[in-house]
Amino acid sequence: MEGPTPTSESSPPPETTPPPAEPTTEHAEPQDESRSERALRVSQLDADEMDNGLIHMLNAKISRALSVFGPSYESKYAPEVALVLKLVLYRLGVGNPSDRATPGLKLQNLRYAYGRNRALPLPAKSLYLLPLLTTIPSYLLSRLHIHALSSSFPEYPRGSLQRRWWLLLERFLAVGKFVELGGSLTFLWDGKYPNVMARLLRMRLIPEEAMAEVTRVISYEFMNRQLVWTGFTVRSSHFPFALPLT
């Protein structure tokens, strides 16, 4: 006698595997936002180059005006003129609460911010310390170097006070260049702070808007070709004369 056959009602239901969960973008949004908050290295370098070019142009005009009073005025007060121009440019740019940017930073759509949060206002202490720490030490070293050369400190005998001051000044200049080199290499590595003093004060450059995309009218390829050609023709004055001979 045959037993009862198993039916589908008594058999356990087959196990079903849940569908794979769709990847969420909760963790991707902060990453994209952090990328948009970071300014391009080339934009930061271009802004600094533009500010230096503006200071050099104004310095040349003021030096030409001072040369009317005598040929020695142009070289005598050159460090003071450069110092005043840097402080005035910083005061009119970064010191302005509505801008927080120099003319070069404005052209690159950048501004200063404190730390990682762009909403935090810049501390007043950092606003005053950044121009002082970036301009005053270099001015003092430049003025002392000019005074030492005009007083012939390197020609004094070894062991004299003047020669010791000259060696100490040379060491200070070497340490300053080494620190500047370390700050530049660190900036090329992380791209956050353009110089050592800005890193110490946590003043970084960010885009003017959170998701701003800077559009360049001139392409990078044309800019690279122009820079290479200018480097060959302007910096090497003999190149245009030697070019037809090659």
Side-chain angles (χ1 to χ4, degrees):
M1 184 175 182
E2 298 179 357
T5 59
T7 60
S8 59
E9 296 179 356
S10 60
S11 62
E15 297 181 357
T16 59
T17 58
E22 297 181 358
T24 59
T25 58
E26 295 180 356
H27 299 286
E29 292 178 357
Q31 184 178 2
D32 296 338
E33 185 178 357
S34 63
R35 289 181 180 178
S36 63
E37 291 285 339
R38 183 173 298 181
L40 298 176
R41 295 177 177 85
V42 64
S43 299
Q44 300 182 52
L45 295 176
D46 287 345
D48 185 68
E49 189 68 21
M50 291 176 184
D51 290 335
N52 292 332
L54 178 60
I55 293 174
H56 180 72
M57 181 182 64
L58 295 176
N59 193 4
K61 293 183 178 297
I62 295 177
S63 300
R64 195 180 304 115
L66 290 177
S67 62
V68 177
F69 301 97
S72 62
Y73 282 87
E74 182 178 356
S75 59
K76 184 178 181 180
Y77 299 104
E80 285 76 13
V81 172
L83 175 64
V84 172
L85 288 176
K86 290 179 181 179
L87 293 177
V88 170
L89 184 66
Y90 183 89
R91 175 62 183 87
L92 296 179
V94 183
N96 190 355
S98 60
D99 294 332
R100 298 304 188 201
T102 59
L105 295 178
K106 288 182 182 179
L107 292 176
Q108 296 296 327
N109 195 30
L110 300 175
R111 69 176 179 87
Y112 275 104
Y114 182 71
R116 297 183 178 181
N117 192 354
R118 63 184 295 125
L120 291 177
L122 291 173
K125 180 177 67 175
S126 300
L127 289 175
Y128 288 109
L129 286 179
L130 183 62
L132 296 179
L133 294 178
T134 53
T135 57
I136 298 299
S138 60
Y139 161 73
L140 293 177
L141 290 176
S142 176
R143 174 51 66 187
L144 289 176
H145 192 264
I146 294 175
H147 175 71
L149 289 177
S150 61
S151 302
S152 304
F153 279 11
E155 299 179 1
Y156 276 82
R158 184 172 301 178
S160 60
L161 182 61
Q162 291 80 1
R163 187 62 180 271
R164 292 179 181 177
W165 275 109
W166 173 256
L167 295 177
L168 183 61
L169 180 60
E170 289 292 320
R171 291 179 181 177
F172 270 111
L173 292 175
V175 170
K177 292 180 180 179
F178 180 78
V179 172
E180 184 178 359
L181 176 62
S184 301
L185 293 178
T186 308
F187 168 72
L188 294 177
W189 175 261
D190 57 11
K192 293 181 180 180
Y193 302 96
N195 52 62
V196 178
M197 298 306 171
R199 184 177 297 274
L200 293 177
L201 299 175
R202 299 185 61 190
M203 294 181 62
R204 59 193 294 256
L205 295 175
I206 60 173
E208 184 64 28
E209 298 179 359
M211 299 299 293
E213 295 182 0
V214 182
T215 58
R216 290 177 175 267
V217 180
I218 304 176
S219 62
Y220 282 105
E221 291 77 7
F222 178 79
M223 293 174 62
N224 292 333
R225 291 197 299 267
Q226 188 69 19
L227 288 174
V228 172
W229 178 252
T230 304
F232 275 116
T233 56
V234 177
R235 298 183 180 180
S236 300
S237 58
H238 63 277
F239 181 77
F241 301 98
L243 183 62
L245 302 178
T246 58

